[in-house]
Amino acid sequence: SVPEMNEEYDAIVLGTGLKECILSGLLSVDGKKVLHMDRNGYYGGESASLNLNQFYDKFRPGQKPPPSLGPSRDYNIDLIPKFIMAGGSLVKILIHTDVTKYLEFKSVEGSYVYYRGKIYKVPANDAEALKSSLMGILEKRRARKFFLYVQDYNESDPKTHDGLNLKQLPMRKLYAHFGLQEDTMEFIGHALALHRSEEYLDRPAIETVSKITLYFDSLARYGKSPYIYPLYGLGELPQAFARLSAVHGGTYMLNKPIEKVVYDSSGVFQGVQSEGEVASAKIVVGDPSYFPDKVRKTGRVVRCICIMNHPIPDTNDCHSVQIIIPQRQVNRSKDIYVSCFSFSHNVAAKDKYVAFVQTTVETGNPEVEVEPGVRLLGPVEEKFLDIYDTYEPISDGKADKCFLSSSYDALTHFETTVEDVLNIYKRITGKDLDLDKVPDQPASSS
């Protein structure tokens, strides 16, 4: 029997963004009856990957892409470009749910950092670090001592702590303990720990040490960079989790106009009305665009998307690459991230590259803010600008049964995305998701 709108569900999920799809997958695996709806005709919401025609429809309505860019279907352009840390929490969720079987990943070839007007490869091992021109020979020795400390550090073994309490010691004091210079601190904090501002310096050192450890662990998996990325773009991720939900009995409806969310007299969620019918459920999960009155604005993100016919200059002809521009290098308070993918990850036509430059908006002139990154790209064929507001839920959802995600940030990886998902999962179920435990697979239907 076809599940109907006017049935009773355990959960209704609005929007097929990555966060919503992971949650509907997890809830379905938990045996919950889930109805998942999206007003768009494609999966992914804000985190979709679009072909060239869809991309032009969004950014240049009424215009056709020039034939010189190649076939539309060869493109999968991410709306929210991010990398996946090979040893990070998104990979743990993919393994935990066995969603890896629906996806194919390839490592990202290079990781670079911008310093005094030039870009340098982030050293991937000891040998590269010794050859790198990023720091002088004495500083390299001090940095090496710091890295050995981080590699040996084990929270539960005080012998590795060197008498320092990293849960209390601010990061800036840990740097000082090893006598590191400001440029080195910037490199470690922004290119390895991937902090995007200087606030971390006054926070407990343990946070940064575990971020550096994550970087090294991720790097150890593939050796070129700590990042992996799915073939055919990030839009594959929400679709893979949607398949997980469907395998466990979840119902999907795309192109569904959401007319209104229905509440009882005390403001508690009851159901969702679409095309005159109401589906009811115990809870609703959704992204901010479906609940404008239940979220507050947190800021803006600016992103420049460029299509080119060459790799980014000075990146050793890498087909996939990230460049971090630390904020201090360009007198900002938040870092600028540059990323580039190509036909080698099946996201652009043959010999074409798609580059993204993104950051958190800090001024009234966002286009100028991404300029330092755009300048690194060399000549571009087409350039698009995307500026959007970011939102977060006003309440935790426990009272009104509306569990909302936050908008995607300008960060370069998915760690904060997954943090939000795990947080929402806990608010809904009251329990932590144990990522080290692999759940039972459903009995396969013959």
Side-chain angles (χ1 to χ4, degrees):
S1 70
V2 182
E4 294 298 332
M5 268 293 291
N6 47 11
E7 279 190 38
E8 172 80 43
Y9 291 88
D10 291 316
I12 294 175
V13 182
L14 299 181
T16 50
L18 177 59
K19 292 182 186 184
E20 286 66 40
C21 286
I22 297 178
L23 284 161
S24 73
L26 293 172
L27 292 171
S28 300
V29 169
D30 283 348
K32 302 276 184 272
K33 184 175 171 186
V34 177
L35 170 63
H36 201 148
M37 300 169 12
D38 195 316
R39 60 168 90 86
N40 297 317
Y42 53 84
Y43 282 97
E46 296 294 315
S47 44
S49 303
L50 304 182
N51 66 33
L52 201 53
N53 291 337
Q54 290 172 318
F55 192 76
Y56 265 74
D57 285 346
K58 185 175 167 68
F59 291 103
R60 295 188 186 158
Q63 269 192 49
K64 287 267 171 283
S68 59
L69 295 181
S72 164
R73 64 171 186 280
D74 288 354
Y75 285 85
N76 293 289
I77 304 174
D78 299 331
L79 292 180
I80 307 273
K82 284 180 187 283
F83 296 89
I84 299 166
M85 295 291 277
S89 48
L90 182 56
V91 168
K92 285 187 178 150
I93 284 198
L94 288 164
I95 292 167
H96 172 83
T97 52
D98 199 28
V99 164
T100 38
K101 63 171 174 252
Y102 303 130
L103 297 158
E104 204 178 326
F105 294 91
K106 210 166 152 180
S107 65
V108 171
E109 289 175 27
S111 181
Y112 288 76
V113 62
Y114 176 88
Y115 175 64
R116 298 196 177 164
K118 286 172 52 181
I119 59 175
Y120 296 86
K121 188 173 190 304
V122 176
N125 52 44
D126 261 9
E128 276 189 14
L130 286 169
K131 280 193 297 221
S132 169
S133 53
L134 266 172
M135 43 181 107
I137 197 79
L138 285 173
E139 187 63 1
K140 276 183 184 161
R141 278 186 210 159
R142 289 188 288 264
R144 191 151 189 265
K145 279 193 182 135
F146 170 80
F147 288 134
L148 289 171
Y149 174 78
V150 169
Q151 269 166 333
D152 294 339
Y153 181 83
N154 174 349
E155 211 173 321
S156 51
D157 178 5
K159 284 204 283 295
T160 65
H161 297 187
D162 209 2
L164 305 170
N165 179 356
L166 297 196
K167 287 183 178 160
Q168 283 175 344
L169 189 78
M171 190 61 205
R172 136 186 351 266
K173 294 238 169 95
L174 183 62
Y175 284 143
H177 178 80
F178 286 92
L180 297 179
Q181 296 166 355
E182 196 164 7
D183 288 344
T184 312
M185 287 159 51
E186 173 180 275
F187 166 73
I188 293 169
H190 294 262
L192 300 180
L194 305 173
H195 289 295
R196 53 186 163 161
S197 69
E198 298 289 64
E199 289 156 24
Y200 80 96
L201 287 168
D202 298 308
R203 298 202 39 87
I206 184 73
E207 295 174 7
T208 298
V209 166
S210 50
K211 282 178 158 57
I212 299 168
T213 306
L214 169 63
Y215 190 95
F216 286 148
D217 287 353
S218 298
L219 188 58
R221 310 227 167 178
Y222 298 102
K224 291 181 184 171
S225 83
Y227 309 110
I228 57 175
Y229 181 86
L231 293 185
Y232 305 103
L234 296 173
E236 294 294 294
L237 291 168
Q239 292 190 64
F241 282 102
R243 287 177 73 173
L244 171 73
S245 172
V247 165
H248 288 268
T251 301
Y252 276 78
M253 297 180 182
L254 294 181
N255 268 324
K256 251 337 229 177
I258 309 302
E259 284 147 14
K260 68 171 199 239
V261 179
V262 184
Y263 302 94
D264 70 11
S265 57
S266 52
V268 177
F269 171 76
Q270 294 279 281
V272 174
Q273 181 182 317
S274 173
E275 301 174 309
E277 295 183 295
V278 175
S280 48
K282 300 181 183 79
I283 64 161
V284 66
V285 175
D287 74 52
S289 71
Y290 289 89
F291 298 90
D293 52 339
K294 290 187 179 287
V295 293
R296 61 173 155 247
K297 185 173 156 177
T298 52
R300 295 168 85 204
V301 170
V302 55
R303 178 174 301 121
C304 184
I305 302 141
C306 300
I307 301 177
M308 323 189 290
N309 56 10
H310 59 86
I312 298 178
D314 305 322
T315 57
N316 198 19
D317 289 339
C318 278
H319 285 201
S320 54
V321 68
Q322 153 161 283
I323 306 167
I324 292 177
I325 305 180
Q327 36 74 252
R328 201 170 62 102
Q329 296 293 325
V330 285
N331 299 318
R332 295 174 49 79
S333 61
K334 293 273 202 298
D335 290 3
I336 300 172
Y337 295 110
V338 180
S339 52
C340 182
F341 301 101
S342 66
F343 54 96
S344 79
H345 276 90
N346 304 6
V347 297
K350 188 164 167 26
D351 300 326
K352 300 289 182 191
Y353 296 76
V354 180
F356 304 90
V357 181
Q358 61 181 356
T359 191
T360 307
V361 175
E362 294 175 6
T363 69
N365 199 345
E367 190 164 4
V368 174
E369 297 188 47
V370 287
E371 251 324 289
V374 175
R375 273 202 298 274
L376 299 175
L377 301 179
V380 305
E381 291 184 76
E382 296 292 337
K383 179 174 154 185
F384 305 82
L385 198 69
D386 185 16
I387 301 169
Y388 65 90
D389 294 338
T390 54
Y391 298 93
E392 67 181 10
I394 293 165
S395 72
D396 65 8
K398 287 175 186 167
D400 60 8
K401 301 295 174 221
C402 300
F403 297 93
L404 312 185
S405 60
S406 300
S407 307
Y408 297 90
D409 55 32
L411 266 174
T412 174
H413 56 68
F414 282 107
E415 297 305 299
T416 48
T417 305
V418 173
E419 229 170 87
D420 192 28
V421 167
L422 296 177
N423 185 331
I424 297 168
Y425 181 80
K426 186 171 186 171
R427 297 197 315 253
I428 293 172
T429 63
K431 58 179 199 226
D432 286 308
L433 183 70
D434 180 4
L435 285 181
D436 299 317
K437 175 176 159 284
V438 177
D440 306 327
Q441 293 306 310
S444 63
S445 52
S446 51

